[in-house]
Structure formats: structure tokens, C-alpha cells
DNA sequence: CACCATAGGCTTACATTGTAAGTCTGTCAA
DNA sequence: TTGACAGACTTACAATGTAAGCCTATGGTG
């Protein structure tokens, strides 16, 4: 929409984030990106190698926001309370990802490790080591946490839309009796939709893992 | 490559799986799929609605293989030992996914819940309920497990290729001191590449979660 | 000062993809 | 016999990434 001064890798990436935020990654094409900068598609190639590089850049930007959020945290020293320090860090990362719902998909699509992501995991590992983890346990912990360390987990169910809850469920009712019973049982919310609190579920899973790690700390 | 008799949804999906297995999903186009069946691209549309439907079909096929693997299991009754029953089920699913490395990506790309996936999770939930879980804990457990219940977890690091281990690591060495130290420390394998055993790491994370759940069983 | 190399924009053109629309043909029921 | 239809094919197009080359102002150098 806005033209302004010359382009730059930074301006291009910022615009890409903006488009992804409002239209999702499907709406992010080299042409739409260029248009949002008041420029032609091919001009972008003076600043980024290709579209893959743009996606890599998105990861960089998001990781930057996460590092910033983590830096602004007032967390306990890991030597004192690694569990709380870790929990705060992960939840801070999660807040950033919630602002960019497309980010998990982009993270997963990147093959090969980006420096920004490696640096983040290095920080996570450092935190655990300072908290008394052996490198071996730290290693296993990184795997066990997986993307949860970055604040997201794979939801195979109802990722975004509403998916016509009643009809869909009714249609498969007899095929999935336990799920139906589980929803019927739920004393929470009451209705079908929105009856489950993703943030709470995320924290539950995170705590489950952190508890397990704490129990192993020092022993392995 | 082979023509043979008429098409059918099943033949199309089988061919799609074959292509994904050998060329990855990037190599799976309507044209390549048609060609592998000795047919023109548009002919496929008599049997599948569109490419999305093909991808949905891939999920169906994989879930079918998983259900088959699970059915062939000689697992203890959940009432006796839910933990072992669950563990065996998940690892059986994982074996199927290892045969189809593209599957996780396709699962993640599907929005909205497929019947096949819902049915699988229904089975997992049923197992836990028979093992003494409340619906509430079963619910949380499904979230905590996430895709791990299907046998895969998000690896943000070195997803497939070799990624020039020494050079890449050396390049980022000063940015990620803890990771470097961790690798140096590793008494396992010895070399950089292949030094970490994904299957073992997966099982570690799985057991961490199952242990945590067992501790909560009956209490919530 | 003249000059020209370069950065960074633009235009054109093409291959690859999914898929809409319509055609052709053999099979089987009326 | 016929005629409807399933299921193949042909053609055509829009969207996308990107290769190749053009054009122009800017600024360092003879």
C-alpha cells in the first residue's frame, strides 16, 4: 500500500509478517508482498534470494520477537528455580506465537536448522544446565519438549475454524463414542464449541514434562 | 507407469502414497499422479474432488495402516496395564509413520478433523478410560500427547538431510556454546552426525508423559 | 567536469501447477 | 436400436515463482 523510500531486507520481511498476520501464509505471494510495498514482484529479488529466503526471514523475525520477550522477563535465576525460569520462558514464547498464528506452520516447513532457532534452543539448554542438568539429560529434554519449548504443540483437532461442531460430531457419533462421551461429560464450558481451553491444556502438558524432568535431574 | 484397468478412488490413493513414498509430497502433483497411472490429469477428477481430497485420502490410507498395525498387536488389557497397552499402540503407529516420512507433514497440513484421525484418538481415549482415567484426565492426556499419540513429534532440528554438520556447527559455534558443549560431551556415537537416536528420544519423551499421567490417574 | 559502473527499480516471458469446460466413446438398460 | 451416462481425453486459463534483460539516477574516479 505504501511506497516510501527504497526497499531493504528488513522492510521486506516486516511487510511479509504483516501480510501473514492478516491474510495467512496462503495470501503471502511474491506479488502480494511486492504490492504491499508499492513495488513490482521482481524488485524483491534484489533483497531476498527467493521465496524460501522470505520464509526463513519470517522465522528470524519471530525468533527476534521471542528473544526480546524472553529478555524482558523477570525470571528467577535457573540455579535457584530452573522450573519457573523455564516455564516463564516458554509461556513468553507462546505469547509471541499467539500473535502470529501462522508461525508454527512456517517453523515446521523450514528444513535445516536456522541460526535463530538454534540460538533459542541453546538458551533453553543453557538454562537447564545452570539448573543442574547434565548435558545428557538436557539433550533428552530438548527432544521431549520439541516445539513445546517454543510455545506451540501440534493440535490434530480443530486447528482453527469451527468445523460445524454439532453436525460433524453427530455424523461421527457412533464411530467415536468415547469422544462423544467425553464432551458430554465435560462440566466445563457446557456447549460443544470453545469448551476446551488451549492455553490451560498447553500448560498442563508443559508441566507434565517439566515435572518429569525435575524428577530425573541429578540422577541422569 | 502402468495403465491396466479403470481407475478408482482406491487405485488413485494407492498411487499417491507410492509417489509420496519415493519422491516426497513435493513430487506429488495431479499430473505426476495421473502419469503414474497411465492417465491424464483431468481423469483423476472423476474419482477425487481435487488435490485437497487426495491429501485427505493419504491421511485415510495411513490411518488405515495404523489401525491395522494396532489391531495386530498383542497388548495387555488396559484394565490390567494401560501404560504398556498405550506404549505399544503408540510405537506401532510410529512404525507406520517411519515407513511414510511425508505423513507428519500431511497430517499437519490438514485442517479440520478427519474421521479416521478422530476414530484413532477415540481409541486412545477409550484405552485410557478402560485404564481408569476420568474423562477429564483423558481429555488433558490427549492434548498432552498431541501428535505423539500418532507416533511423531516435532523435530525443529535436522529434520532430514545431513546439513553439513561440521561446517554448519562450526559457523554457529560461538552463537550456541551450550549446544556445542552438549555435542562434545556426548559419549554416545562419537562423531557429530547420527549421534542422536531419534527412536530412543521419542520413547523417552513418551515415557515422561505416560509416567506423569499415571501419577495423576485416579486423582483427577 | 565528464563518465561510466552499479544498485535497484521495471518489463517481459516462461514453466509449473490446479482445475474449469467441454468432447468423445464404449457399455448397458429400455 | 437407441440413448444416457461413466469415464476417459483435449484444450485453455489463472496463479505463482523466477530467469533475463532493460532503464535510470547516483556517486566515485579519470
Amino acid at each position: 500500500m505504501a511506497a516510501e523510500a527504497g526497499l531493504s531486507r528488513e522492510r521486506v520481511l516486516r511487510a511479509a509478517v504483516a501480510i501473514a498476520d492478516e491474510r495467512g501464509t496462503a495470501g503471502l505471494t511474491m506479488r502480494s508482498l511486492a504490492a504491499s510495498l508499492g513495488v513490482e514482484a521482481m524488485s524483491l529479488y534484489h533483497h531476498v534470494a527467493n521465496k524460501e529466503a522470505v520464509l526463513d526471514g519470517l522465522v528470524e523475525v519471530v525468533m527476534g520477537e521471542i528473544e526480546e520477550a524472553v529478555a524482558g522477563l523477570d525470571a528467577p535465576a535457573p540455579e535457584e528455580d530452573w522450573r519457573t525460569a523455564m516455564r516463564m520462558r516458554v509461556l513468553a514464547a507462546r505469547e509471541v506465537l499467539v500473535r502470529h498464528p501462522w508461525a508454527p506452520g512456517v517453523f515446521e516447513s523450514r528444513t535445516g536448522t536456522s541460526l535463530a532457532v538454534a540460538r533459542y534452543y541453546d538458551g533453553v539448554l543453557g538454562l537447564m544446565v545452570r539448573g543442574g542438568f547434565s548435558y545428557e539429560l538436557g539433550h533428552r529434554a530438548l527432544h521431549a519438549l520439541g516445539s513445546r519449548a517454543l510455545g506451540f504443540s501440534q493440535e490434530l483437532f480443530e486447528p482453527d475454524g469451527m468445523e460445524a461442531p454439532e453436525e460433524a460430531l453427530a455424523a461421527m457419533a457412533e464411530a467415536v463414542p468415547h469422544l462423544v462421551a467425553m464432551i458430554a461429560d465435560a462440566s466445563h464450558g457446557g456447549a460443544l464449541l470453545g469448551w476446551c481451553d488451549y492455553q490451560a491444556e498447553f500448560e498442563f502438558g508443559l508441566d507434565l514434562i517439566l515435572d518429569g524432568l525435575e524428577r530425573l535431574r541429578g540422577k541422569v
Side-chain angles (χ1 to χ4, degrees), chain A:
Chain A
M1 315 289 183
E4 315 285 307
L7 297 182
S8 73
R9 179 179 145 86
E10 280 61 41
R11 261 169 59 75
V12 169
L13 295 184
R14 240 196 305 283
V17 169
I19 290 183
D21 281 345
E22 60 193 45
R23 275 179 272 172
T25 42
L28 178 63
T29 70
M30 294 306 273
R31 286 177 230 264
S32 72
L33 177 52
S36 83
L37 288 160
V39 132
E40 293 301 317
M42 288 312 293
S43 300
L44 301 174
Y45 288 80
H46 284 291
H47 305 276
V48 293
N50 49 36
K51 188 174 183 181
E52 290 292 289
V54 172
L55 296 177
D56 288 343
L58 290 186
V59 169
E60 250 180 65
V61 171
V62 171
M63 289 308 304
E65 290 184 25
I66 290 179
E67 294 287 5
E68 196 178 345
V70 168
L73 241 38
D74 187 27
E79 289 84 353
E80 302 299 318
D81 185 356
W82 76 271
R83 213 177 158 305
T84 299
M86 173 78 96
R87 197 169 193 281
M88 287 179 69
R89 172 184 278 254
V90 170
L91 294 182
R94 179 174 178 82
E95 277 180 32
V96 172
L97 290 201
V98 166
R99 294 205 307 262
H100 304 302
W102 44 268
V106 174
F107 276 94
E108 288 157 25
S109 77
R110 275 6 0 243
T111 169
T113 307
S114 90
L115 175 58
V117 173
R119 195 145 39 194
Y120 178 80
Y121 274 97
D122 191 72
V124 171
L125 176 59
L127 189 159
M128 293 190 288
V129 169
R130 287 178 61 194
F133 282 60
S134 67
Y135 279 117
E136 184 178 347
L137 183 58
H139 174 219
R140 320 210 88 170
L142 290 184
H143 279 284
L145 285 166
S147 67
R148 222 177 270 267
L150 275 167
F152 68 99
S153 65
Q154 230 131 5
E155 295 291 352
L156 273 329
F157 282 149
E158 32 184 331
D160 34 31
M162 53 187 59
E163 66 159 305
E166 295 175 19
E167 282 177 45
L169 257 290
M172 31 173 96
E174 63 190 74
V176 292
H178 299 104
L179 291 178
V180 169
M182 178 181 82
I183 292 173
D185 172 85
S187 50
H188 334 310
L192 283 173
L193 195 52
W195 69 285
C196 95
D197 177 341
Y198 288 99
Q199 179 69 24
E201 301 305 339
F202 180 85
E203 296 187 18
F204 173 82
L206 177 60
D207 288 334
L208 210 57
I209 293 174
L210 297 185
D211 286 349
L213 292 174
E214 169 62 16
R215 239 182 313 272
L216 291 173
R217 188 170 60 101
K219 295 190 197 161
V220 56

